[in-house]
Short mmCIF file of all heavy atoms in Angstrom, two decimals:
data_model
loop_
_atom_site.label_atom_id
_atom_site.label_comp_id
_atom_site.label_asym_id
_atom_site.label_seq_id
_atom_site.Cartn_x
_atom_site.Cartn_y
_atom_site.Cartn_z
N ALA A 152 -11.25 -23.20 -55.31
CA ALA A 152 -12.68 -23.50 -55.44
C ALA A 152 -13.21 -23.76 -54.03
O ALA A 152 -12.96 -24.83 -53.46
CB ALA A 152 -12.91 -24.70 -56.34
N THR A 153 -13.92 -22.79 -53.48
CA THR A 153 -14.41 -22.89 -52.11
C THR A 153 -15.90 -22.63 -52.03
O THR A 153 -16.41 -21.74 -52.72
CB THR A 153 -13.66 -21.91 -51.18
OG1 THR A 153 -14.25 -21.95 -49.88
CG2 THR A 153 -13.71 -20.47 -51.71
N SER A 154 -16.58 -23.39 -51.20
CA SER A 154 -18.01 -23.17 -50.99
C SER A 154 -18.27 -21.93 -50.14
O SER A 154 -19.41 -21.48 -50.05
CB SER A 154 -18.64 -24.40 -50.32
OG SER A 154 -18.51 -25.54 -51.14
N ALA A 155 -17.23 -21.41 -49.51
CA ALA A 155 -17.38 -20.20 -48.70
C ALA A 155 -17.68 -18.99 -49.59
O ALA A 155 -17.36 -18.98 -50.78
CB ALA A 155 -16.10 -19.93 -47.92
N ASP A 156 -18.30 -17.98 -49.00
CA ASP A 156 -18.58 -16.75 -49.76
C ASP A 156 -17.29 -15.96 -49.96
O ASP A 156 -16.28 -16.17 -49.29
CB ASP A 156 -19.60 -15.90 -49.01
CG ASP A 156 -21.02 -16.44 -49.15
OD1 ASP A 156 -21.18 -17.56 -49.66
OD2 ASP A 156 -21.96 -15.74 -48.75
N LYS A 157 -17.35 -15.01 -50.89
CA LYS A 157 -16.17 -14.22 -51.25
C LYS A 157 -15.60 -13.47 -50.05
O LYS A 157 -14.38 -13.33 -49.91
CB LYS A 157 -16.50 -13.23 -52.37
CG LYS A 157 -15.30 -12.50 -52.95
CD LYS A 157 -15.72 -11.64 -54.13
CE LYS A 157 -14.50 -11.04 -54.83
NZ LYS A 157 -13.74 -10.12 -53.97
N MET A 158 -16.48 -12.98 -49.19
CA MET A 158 -16.04 -12.22 -48.02
C MET A 158 -15.10 -13.05 -47.15
O MET A 158 -14.05 -12.57 -46.70
CB MET A 158 -17.28 -11.80 -47.21
CG MET A 158 -17.00 -10.92 -46.02
SD MET A 158 -18.61 -10.43 -45.26
CE MET A 158 -18.01 -9.46 -43.87
N LYS A 159 -15.44 -14.30 -46.94
CA LYS A 159 -14.59 -15.19 -46.14
C LYS A 159 -13.34 -15.59 -46.92
O LYS A 159 -12.24 -15.61 -46.37
CB LYS A 159 -15.37 -16.45 -45.73
CG LYS A 159 -14.56 -17.40 -44.86
CD LYS A 159 -15.33 -18.66 -44.57
CE LYS A 159 -14.51 -19.62 -43.70
NZ LYS A 159 -15.16 -20.94 -43.56
N MET A 160 -13.50 -15.91 -48.20
CA MET A 160 -12.35 -16.30 -49.02
C MET A 160 -11.28 -15.21 -49.03
O MET A 160 -10.10 -15.47 -48.79
CB MET A 160 -12.79 -16.61 -50.44
CG MET A 160 -11.66 -17.04 -51.36
SD MET A 160 -12.14 -17.16 -53.10
CE MET A 160 -12.25 -15.40 -53.53
N ASP A 161 -11.71 -13.97 -49.29
CA ASP A 161 -10.76 -12.87 -49.35
C ASP A 161 -10.06 -12.67 -48.01
O ASP A 161 -8.84 -12.42 -47.96
CB ASP A 161 -11.48 -11.58 -49.76
CG ASP A 161 -11.89 -11.57 -51.22
OD1 ASP A 161 -11.39 -12.42 -51.99
OD2 ASP A 161 -12.72 -10.71 -51.59
N GLY A 162 -10.81 -12.77 -46.92
CA GLY A 162 -10.22 -12.60 -45.59
C GLY A 162 -9.20 -13.69 -45.28
O GLY A 162 -8.12 -13.41 -44.75
N ASN A 163 -9.53 -14.93 -45.63
CA ASN A 163 -8.60 -16.04 -45.39
C ASN A 163 -7.32 -15.88 -46.19
O ASN A 163 -6.21 -16.03 -45.66
CB ASN A 163 -9.26 -17.36 -45.77
CG ASN A 163 -10.22 -17.87 -44.71
OD1 ASN A 163 -10.33 -17.30 -43.64
ND2 ASN A 163 -10.92 -18.94 -45.02
N LEU A 164 -7.45 -15.61 -47.48
CA LEU A 164 -6.27 -15.52 -48.34
C LEU A 164 -5.35 -14.37 -47.89
O LEU A 164 -4.13 -14.52 -47.89
CB LEU A 164 -6.68 -15.35 -49.80
CG LEU A 164 -7.43 -16.52 -50.42
CD1 LEU A 164 -7.77 -16.23 -51.87
CD2 LEU A 164 -6.61 -17.81 -50.32
N LYS A 165 -5.95 -13.26 -47.51
CA LYS A 165 -5.15 -12.14 -47.02
C LYS A 165 -4.39 -12.53 -45.76
O LYS A 165 -3.20 -12.23 -45.61
CB LYS A 165 -6.05 -10.93 -46.76
CG LYS A 165 -5.30 -9.71 -46.22
CD LYS A 165 -6.25 -8.55 -45.98
CE LYS A 165 -5.51 -7.34 -45.41
NZ LYS A 165 -6.46 -6.20 -45.14
N GLU A 166 -5.08 -13.21 -44.86
CA GLU A 166 -4.47 -13.56 -43.57
C GLU A 166 -3.34 -14.57 -43.73
O GLU A 166 -2.34 -14.53 -42.99
CB GLU A 166 -5.54 -14.11 -42.62
CG GLU A 166 -5.13 -14.17 -41.17
CD GLU A 166 -4.88 -12.79 -40.55
OE1 GLU A 166 -5.51 -11.81 -40.97
OE2 GLU A 166 -4.03 -12.73 -39.64
N ILE A 167 -3.46 -15.50 -44.69
CA ILE A 167 -2.42 -16.54 -44.84
C ILE A 167 -1.37 -16.15 -45.88
O ILE A 167 -0.44 -16.92 -46.15
CB ILE A 167 -3.02 -17.91 -45.19
CG1 ILE A 167 -3.70 -17.92 -46.56
CG2 ILE A 167 -3.97 -18.36 -44.08
CD1 ILE A 167 -4.18 -19.31 -47.00
N GLY A 168 -1.51 -14.97 -46.49
CA GLY A 168 -0.46 -14.46 -47.36
C GLY A 168 -0.45 -15.02 -48.76
O GLY A 168 0.60 -15.04 -49.42
N ILE A 169 -1.60 -15.46 -49.25
CA ILE A 169 -1.71 -15.87 -50.66
C ILE A 169 -2.38 -14.72 -51.40
O ILE A 169 -3.57 -14.47 -51.23
CB ILE A 169 -2.48 -17.19 -50.82
CG1 ILE A 169 -1.67 -18.32 -50.17
CG2 ILE A 169 -2.77 -17.49 -52.29
CD1 ILE A 169 -2.32 -19.69 -50.28
N VAL A 170 -1.61 -14.03 -52.22
CA VAL A 170 -2.10 -12.82 -52.89
C VAL A 170 -2.70 -13.19 -54.25
O VAL A 170 -2.40 -14.24 -54.81
CB VAL A 170 -0.96 -11.79 -53.07
CG1 VAL A 170 -0.45 -11.36 -51.71
CG2 VAL A 170 0.18 -12.36 -53.91
N PRO A 171 -3.59 -12.32 -54.78
CA PRO A 171 -4.29 -12.64 -56.04
C PRO A 171 -3.37 -12.99 -57.20
O PRO A 171 -3.73 -13.82 -58.05
CB PRO A 171 -5.08 -11.36 -56.32
CG PRO A 171 -5.33 -10.77 -54.97
CD PRO A 171 -4.10 -11.08 -54.18
N THR A 172 -2.20 -12.39 -57.26
CA THR A 172 -1.29 -12.67 -58.38
C THR A 172 -0.72 -14.08 -58.36
O THR A 172 -0.16 -14.54 -59.35
CB THR A 172 -0.13 -11.66 -58.39
OG1 THR A 172 0.52 -11.68 -57.11
CG2 THR A 172 -0.63 -10.25 -58.68
N MET A 173 -0.88 -14.78 -57.24
CA MET A 173 -0.39 -16.16 -57.14
C MET A 173 -1.39 -17.16 -57.70
O MET A 173 -1.04 -18.33 -57.91
CB MET A 173 -0.09 -16.50 -55.67
CG MET A 173 1.03 -15.68 -55.06
SD MET A 173 1.21 -15.94 -53.27
CE MET A 173 1.80 -17.64 -53.21
N ILE A 174 -2.63 -16.74 -57.94
CA ILE A 174 -3.73 -17.63 -58.32
C ILE A 174 -4.29 -17.20 -59.67
O ILE A 174 -4.46 -16.01 -59.93
CB ILE A 174 -4.85 -17.60 -57.25
CG1 ILE A 174 -4.31 -18.02 -55.88
CG2 ILE A 174 -6.02 -18.48 -57.65
CD1 ILE A 174 -3.89 -19.47 -55.78
N ASP A 175 -4.59 -18.18 -60.52
CA ASP A 175 -5.13 -17.87 -61.85
C ASP A 175 -6.65 -17.68 -61.85
O ASP A 175 -7.18 -16.96 -62.71
CB ASP A 175 -4.76 -18.99 -62.83
CG ASP A 175 -3.26 -19.09 -63.04
OD1 ASP A 175 -2.68 -18.13 -63.59
OD2 ASP A 175 -2.67 -20.10 -62.62
N ALA A 176 -7.36 -18.32 -60.93
CA ALA A 176 -8.83 -18.19 -60.90
C ALA A 176 -9.34 -18.53 -59.51
O ALA A 176 -8.74 -19.33 -58.79
CB ALA A 176 -9.47 -19.12 -61.93
N CYS A 177 -10.45 -17.90 -59.13
CA CYS A 177 -11.12 -18.20 -57.86
C CYS A 177 -12.60 -18.39 -58.11
O CYS A 177 -13.23 -17.58 -58.79
CB CYS A 177 -10.92 -17.06 -56.85
SG CYS A 177 -9.25 -16.91 -56.20
N VAL A 178 -13.15 -19.44 -57.54
CA VAL A 178 -14.60 -19.68 -57.58
C VAL A 178 -15.06 -19.81 -56.13
O VAL A 178 -14.48 -20.56 -55.35
CB VAL A 178 -14.95 -20.96 -58.36
CG1 VAL A 178 -16.46 -21.14 -58.43
CG2 VAL A 178 -14.36 -20.90 -59.77
N TYR A 179 -16.12 -19.08 -55.78
CA TYR A 179 -16.59 -19.04 -54.40
C TYR A 179 -18.10 -19.25 -54.36
O TYR A 179 -18.77 -19.33 -55.40
CB TYR A 179 -16.19 -17.73 -53.73
CG TYR A 179 -16.42 -16.51 -54.58
CD1 TYR A 179 -17.63 -15.84 -54.59
CD2 TYR A 179 -15.40 -16.02 -55.41
CE1 TYR A 179 -17.84 -14.73 -55.39
CE2 TYR A 179 -15.60 -14.91 -56.22
CZ TYR A 179 -16.82 -14.27 -56.20
OH TYR A 179 -17.02 -13.18 -56.99
N GLY A 180 -18.62 -19.32 -53.15
CA GLY A 180 -19.99 -19.78 -52.94
C GLY A 180 -21.07 -19.07 -53.72
O GLY A 180 -21.98 -19.70 -54.27
N GLU A 181 -20.99 -17.73 -53.80
CA GLU A 181 -22.05 -16.98 -54.48
C GLU A 181 -22.14 -17.29 -55.97
O GLU A 181 -23.16 -17.02 -56.61
CB GLU A 181 -21.84 -15.47 -54.33
CG GLU A 181 -21.95 -14.96 -52.91
CD GLU A 181 -20.60 -14.74 -52.29
OE1 GLU A 181 -19.68 -15.56 -52.52
OE2 GLU A 181 -20.44 -13.75 -51.55
N LEU A 182 -21.09 -17.85 -56.54
CA LEU A 182 -21.06 -18.12 -57.98
C LEU A 182 -21.68 -19.47 -58.36
O LEU A 182 -21.87 -19.75 -59.53
CB LEU A 182 -19.62 -18.07 -58.51
CG LEU A 182 -18.87 -16.74 -58.33
CD1 LEU A 182 -17.44 -16.88 -58.85
CD2 LEU A 182 -19.60 -15.61 -59.05
N ILE A 183 -21.96 -20.29 -57.34
CA ILE A 183 -22.38 -21.67 -57.60
C ILE A 183 -23.71 -21.96 -56.91
O ILE A 183 -23.83 -21.81 -55.70
CB ILE A 183 -21.32 -22.67 -57.09
CG1 ILE A 183 -19.98 -22.42 -57.79
CG2 ILE A 183 -21.77 -24.10 -57.29
CD1 ILE A 183 -19.99 -22.67 -59.27
#
Side-chain angles (χ1 to χ4, degrees):
T153 175
S154 298
D156 283 10
K157 188 175 187 296
M158 184 176 178
K159 182 184 180 188
M160 180 189 74
D161 288 345
N163 281 354
L164 295 180
K165 179 180 179 181
E166 195 64 30
I167 65 174
I169 294 181
V170 298
T172 55
M173 296 172 68
I174 301 292
D175 296 294
C177 289
V178 182
Y179 44 87
E181 295 100 321
L182 300 178
I183 300 296

